[in-house]
Amino acid sequence: MAKNLLARTSHLSRFILRLDRMQIPIWLIGITFFTLIVPIAYRDLYGSQQERDAMVETMANPVMTAMFGHGDLSNYTIGAMTAHSMLLFTAVLVGLMSILLVTRHTRAAEEDGRIEMIRSLPVGRLSYLNATLLVLAGKSVALTLIVGFGLAALRVESMNVAGSLLYGAALGATCLFFAGVTAVFAQLSENSRGTIGFSVAVLLGSYLIRAIGDAGETALSWLSPLGWVTKAEVYSTNNSGPIILLVAASFLLFIFANYLNAIRDLERGFFPSRPGRKYATRFLQSTIGLALRLQRTGIIAWAIGMYILGVSYGSVLGDLDAFFEGIEMMEQMLIAADGATLTEQFIPMLMIVISLLATVPPVMAMNKLMGEEKKDRIDHMLARAVSRTKLMGSYLVIAVVNGFVMISLSALGLWSAGAAVMEGGLDFGMIYGAALSYYPAMLVMIGVAVFLIGVLPKLTQLTWLYVFYSFIVLYLGGMFQFADWVGKLSPFGYIPQAPIEEMTYLPLFVLSIVAVALMIVGFVGYNKRDIL
């Protein structure tokens, strides 16, 4: 019986690998690359123990403990510093990777009708789910070995083979755990949006519970799987127990997901669905109303997240001098200026991070049009009295307004928290103006998305590569001393660094023109090309 339920699992695993032949290598290469460059940078910046001890004073602060978790501050070697500052955040990224990939091959595939078609073939009822989990298990093993041996190959004195493999195993176990979490929610929820939403909520909740537990020095962090990652104490005591616990919990989740999948009907979930309106409103019957309704949950979630992000950054402005003064790495990343306070130098770096993160939801909103096209959901709309210009314009309006709202809420959160913790307060006009100056660059990113959808629809994912490139070269450019022209390849590299630099509006005007030109070309191409 079990054999019949799992028939052809290996064949389906190869099929999934074929579908993800680009995504999986990109994720693995990206995570590995940015894991390996950090200890190399630390070795150059903190070659002596005295320099590392200066960093310990900052990391010992409860705010930093909540952010990064506990580390071996008594013996802060390059290895201990790398694990303390990088492992937790990399684990969060790995968890997000698992959520997206498992959702794609479970609930999203079910919505698209792919699983129904596959089940009509001589395959087992549980085969496709287990093929997905098998691929993620293989990916976690690959991640463990590549990262582990890659770190060991750097030949940093404090980063031995055992610690490096444990570092990789922590990431691999995180990949497994959140694959299990997502597999369970794929059975409980009725759609892919719910699957991603609940799974990401578990990921963020795990980070928050760990942060509260670590900052309060309580056992609460043991309730968080991300807390287990930090308790491995990589490059210190190398405690493998929490990682084994994480793997065991992952397999329990796999078993539970299989049980739920075996007893539920196809295209149904266990969470009750709320009945909608009997008749659609006039606004919902419009193209922009329908597009907004499809993205409503994501927009609200991102809006809350961006405001909280602003608040979290603003809350440290009051103690910024105590946190970063004398820290060479941070001084290299800040925008230096004579007579400017450390807070004023720190704000441009904050704005780069905030504006790039705020670019993600509007680009997602624009790319939603391409997602609907790939799922054959716009053909019936275009067959009616709806032009392609009106359809794309609806998504563009949502993306443009979305970007403005996200950057505004981030600035509001930053100002409100900063004004509360700083003695002299924080000027709202300065903060909001500095944030809004990045809006034209955000429009260029939206314009790139429109251009690719209209002219090169098969390359729409390149927009994300461009956003990621911008983040790396602008956020880490000071630390890695990139040439100026590298930053100028991103539209965000042309924005005046307020309040350090004087605001000049010509670059903002030129970026706005470029954005409009990209959008126009995208609209022309969309009206001429064949629908996929």
Side-chain angles (χ1 to χ4, degrees):
M1 181 65 178
K3 184 178 180 180
N4 293 334
L5 289 174
L6 299 174
R8 307 264 178 174
T9 299
S10 60
H11 292 74
L12 292 174
S13 297
R14 291 195 293 271
F15 172 65
I16 292 173
L17 285 172
R18 171 68 178 172
L19 291 177
D20 285 349
R21 63 187 181 279
M22 294 296 294
Q23 288 90 337
I24 290 179
I26 288 174
W27 275 106
L28 289 176
I29 292 171
I31 291 172
T32 303
F33 175 76
F34 290 106
T35 298
L36 298 185
I37 64 171
V38 170
I40 295 174
Y42 282 169
R43 184 171 53 186
D44 295 334
L45 292 172
Y46 301 98
S48 68
Q49 189 61 46
Q50 184 179 3
E51 292 173 321
R52 293 193 290 273
D53 288 340
M55 192 68 170
V56 168
E57 296 179 7
T58 297
M59 291 301 186
N61 189 284
V63 175
M64 293 301 173
T65 301
M67 186 177 297
F68 295 100
H70 287 293
D72 187 6
L73 302 182
S74 61
N75 186 29
Y76 215 48
T77 61
I78 295 296
M81 179 184 290
T82 300
H84 188 203
S85 62
M86 280 294 296
L87 181 56
L88 181 61
F89 286 110
T90 309
V92 172
L93 180 62
V94 168
L96 181 61
M97 171 194 70
S98 288
I99 290 170
L100 295 177
L101 291 179
V102 173
T103 301
R104 182 188 179 202
H105 293 296
T106 53
R107 180 53 69 173
E110 203 166 319
E111 286 182 308
D112 295 343
R114 188 161 69 236
I115 292 182
E116 182 179 9
M117 181 184 65
I118 290 174
R119 282 197 184 178
S120 67
L121 302 173
V123 301
R125 181 183 180 89
L126 303 179
S127 296
Y128 201 77
L129 172 61
N130 283 277
T132 302
L133 296 177
L134 186 61
V135 169
L136 263 293
K139 186 173 182 178
S140 68
V141 172
L143 185 63
T144 298
L145 297 178
I146 294 172
V147 170
F149 285 113
L151 289 171
L154 297 178
R155 299 186 180 278
V156 177
E157 183 179 355
S158 57
M159 300 173 67
N160 54 34
V161 176
S164 298
L165 287 176
L166 185 60
Y167 192 112
L171 298 181
T174 304
C175 177
L176 279 178
F177 182 85
F178 284 99
V181 168
T182 310
V184 169
F185 281 119
Q187 316 310 316
L188 298 176
S189 179
E190 278 197 334
N191 52 59
S192 58
R193 294 194 302 273
T195 301
I196 291 176
F198 286 119
S199 301
V200 170
V202 171
L203 178 64
L204 297 179
S206 300
Y207 183 87
L208 181 61
I209 291 172
R210 180 218 51 81
I212 296 172
D214 285 348
E217 301 292 341
T218 67
L220 186 63
S221 57
W222 277 104
L223 300 178
S224 167
L226 293 178
W228 303 347
V229 171
T230 60
K231 292 184 183 302
E233 298 180 354
V234 178
Y235 296 125
S236 179
T237 62
N238 286 336
N239 182 13
S240 60
I243 305 305
I244 295 173
L245 182 63
L246 199 58
V247 173
S250 304
F251 283 106
L252 290 177
L253 289 169
F254 288 3
I255 294 171
F256 187 47
N258 273 276
Y259 169 73
L260 294 176
N261 194 21
I263 64 175
R264 75 173 177 88
D265 294 331
L266 192 65
E267 298 183 4
R268 302 292 295 178
F270 288 93
F271 290 157
S273 58
R274 188 181 63 179
R277 293 174 177 267
K278 188 175 182 179
Y279 300 102
T281 62
R282 183 176 296 274
F283 180 67
L284 185 58
Q285 295 179 49
S286 65
T287 54
I288 191 171
L290 177 60
L292 185 61
R293 177 62 182 86
L294 292 173
Q295 304 180 56
R296 182 181 63 182
T297 303
I299 291 174
I300 294 173
W302 270 101
I304 296 172
M306 293 308 300
Y307 179 78
I308 293 175
L309 177 70
V311 170
S312 64
Y313 278 131
S315 62
V316 304
L317 292 180
D319 295 325
L320 200 62
D321 290 338
F323 285 174
F324 294 140
E325 190 170 13
I327 305 300
E328 183 181 351
M329 182 184 71
M330 294 306 302
E331 289 177 351
Q332 289 184 350
M333 296 174 69
L334 297 178
I335 307 298
D338 295 334
T341 65
L342 193 60
T343 300
E344 291 174 333
Q345 296 177 55
F346 189 55
I347 285 176
M349 188 179 74
L350 283 183
M351 290 305 170
I352 289 174
V353 176
I354 288 174
S355 62
L356 282 165
L357 289 176
T359 302
V360 172
V363 171
M364 288 177 62
M366 194 66 237
N367 283 346
K368 181 70 174 177
L369 174 61
M370 195 65 213
E372 295 296 297
E373 181 178 342
K374 289 180 178 179
K375 295 177 180 178
D376 297 325
R377 293 176 178 170
I378 65 170
D379 291 349
H380 71 283
M381 296 181 65
L382 296 177
R384 299 172 182 269
V386 177
S387 66
R388 295 193 185 192
T389 299
K390 185 177 181 180
L391 180 62
M392 176 174 268
S394 299
Y395 282 86
L396 178 59
V397 169
I398 293 173
V400 169
V401 175
N402 188 330
F404 181 81
V405 170
M406 297 302 166
I407 195 72
S408 298
L409 286 174
S410 302
L412 181 61
L414 179 64
W415 169 78
S416 59
V421 299
M422 295 182 67
E423 293 183 2
L426 198 60
D427 182 33
F428 176 76
M430 183 267 290
I431 292 294
Y432 190 67
L436 210 59
S437 65
Y438 284 89
Y439 187 57
M442 186 185 296
L443 292 178
V444 172
M445 288 295 185
I446 297 173
V448 170
V450 174
F451 172 82
L452 291 176
I453 292 172
V455 180
L456 301 169
K458 294 184 178 180
L459 301 179
T460 52
Q461 297 303 316
L462 288 180
T463 310
W464 297 119
L465 185 61
Y466 196 25
V467 173
F468 187 63
Y469 169 84
S470 300
F471 180 83
I472 295 301
V473 300
L474 296 176
Y475 181 59
L476 300 177
M479 185 173 73
F480 294 111
Q481 299 179 352
F482 293 141
D484 290 341
W485 66 267
V486 176
K488 296 298 183 182
L489 294 177
S490 166
F492 292 87
Y494 292 91
I495 305 300
Q497 303 295 301
I500 299 303
E501 298 177 357
E502 182 180 355
M503 181 60 67
T504 54
Y505 294 97
L506 180 60
L508 309 186
F509 177 75
V510 172
L511 288 174
S512 300
I513 295 298
V514 171
V516 172
L518 287 169
M519 293 174 188
I520 291 174
V521 174
F523 270 84
V524 172
Y526 191 67
N527 277 281
K528 289 183 177 180
R529 73 169 176 83
D530 294 331
I531 297 297
L532 298 179

